[in-house]
Amino acid sequence: MELLHSGKVRDVYADGEDLILVATDRVSIYDVVLPTPIPDKGRLLTALSLWWFEQLSDLVPNHVISATDVPAEFAGRAIRCRRLDMVPVECVARGYLTGGGFAEYQRTGSVSGVPLPRGLVEASILPEPIFTPSTKAPKGEHDEPITYEQVVDKVGPEVAERLRQITVDVYRRGAEIAAERGILIADTKLELGWAPDGTLVLGDEVLTSDSSRFWPAESYQPGRAQFSYDKQYVRDWATSSGWDKQPPAPEVPAEVIEATRTRYVEVYEKLTGNRWD
């Protein structure tokens, strides 16, 4: 195998015509990799992605070839995948107003050029899910929100509409399934690419704690920050630490790492119904 790319949290190897996508235990916030890993994170994200790919298989094809035909040293945290020509856009769907979307709304009354009703507060549910794409920044740089019109400029009107429709459809399906299990999906980010036959395919990870915001439905209350089953706990710690969000990042305390791992495990178990061993 040949190492093609070592990203913020994933390593990509070439194995003949296939790719081996390895999810590490590294954690990235504000586009900076932290020096302290989260134990089991890669295995949890891989298992959750595989579960979601199955739930979505009738909606959009995915890049998975095998979750077992991988090198032994990567077992449980790797997927054998089809090679894709990735779309140069981060495809984001939002059903609730939070994070960078809420900050943008406060400034402009819109998110990625999508106008929203007045008077929305932190964590407000949106009238309908919206497509809020962003750039794909190089490692060490920040993704930036872009408008739908800018996506059209990048990929053309037909592809832009397909990206928007697939992203919103995946979000709606995911949100419906999660709601049945007591989980709200506030937003999610997808990666899409072209297969050699011209098919638009879902790649990378899908609806995980690294690519989505998961909130417990039982404690949801708009107008404040929500308890989050993802790395938001690490972001909150980093913000309170006084770190300037520039590399190098500080070491993360053990109790913050353990609390974050617990959140990853809990949402995996709630969504899939499987016990994490």
Side-chain angles (χ1 to χ4, degrees), residues 37-96:
I38 297 175
D40 282 341
K41 174 175 173 282
R43 295 173 61 234
L44 281 157
L45 296 187
T46 298
L48 187 54
S49 282
L50 289 167
W51 184 83
W52 277 117
F53 280 132
E54 289 186 8
Q55 312 307 309
L56 301 165
S57 60
D58 65 318
L59 202 60
V60 57
N62 62 67
H63 67 161
V64 177
I65 295 173
S66 173
T68 56
D69 183 15
V70 297
E73 64 266 33
F74 300 142
R77 64 173 65 244
I79 302 174
R80 180 176 293 274
C81 308
R82 292 189 279 171
R83 290 177 183 257
L84 303 176
D85 181 14
M86 302 308 292
V87 173
V89 175
E90 297 278 9
C91 295
V92 180
R94 299 177 188 270
Y96 295 78

Side-chain angles (χ1 to χ4, degrees), residues 4 8 12 15 25 38 49 55 69 112 118 172 197 210 212 224 242 269 273:
L4 296 181
K8 287 175 284 192
V12 183
D15 187 18
D25 291 341
I38 297 175
S49 282
Q55 312 307 309
D69 183 15
S112 294
R118 292 182 179 180
R172 288 185 189 276
D197 64 0
D210 264 20
S212 316
R224 61 171 175 79
E269 293 183 340

Side-chain angles (χ1 to χ4, degrees), residues 161-205:
E161 178 54 34
R162 290 182 66 191
L163 294 177
R164 176 164 62 181
Q165 193 62 57
I166 290 172
T167 303
V168 172
D169 285 349
V170 166
Y171 173 82
R172 288 185 189 276
R173 172 72 65 81
E176 180 182 343
I177 292 172
E180 295 171 352
R181 294 155 170 80
I183 301 293
L184 304 179
I185 303 180
D187 52 39
T188 196
K189 179 180 69 175
L190 307 180
E191 299 270 8
L192 291 156
W194 298 102
D197 64 0
T199 304
L200 199 53
V201 173
L202 190 58
D204 196 48
E205 62 180 330

Side-chain angles (χ1 to χ4, degrees), residues 87-94 104 111-114 130-136 143-152 154-155 160 163-164 167-168 188-190:
V87 173
V89 175
E90 297 278 9
C91 295
V92 180
R94 299 177 188 270
E104 185 180 349
V111 181
S112 294
V114 180
I130 58 174
F131 179 58
T132 60
S134 66
T135 60
K136 278 189 176 180
D143 296 340
E144 297 293 341
I146 56 177
T147 65
Y148 180 72
E149 288 70 28
Q150 288 173 294
V151 178
V152 171
K154 283 179 176 287
V155 299
L163 294 177
R164 176 164 62 181
T167 303
V168 172
T188 196
K189 179 180 69 175
L190 307 180

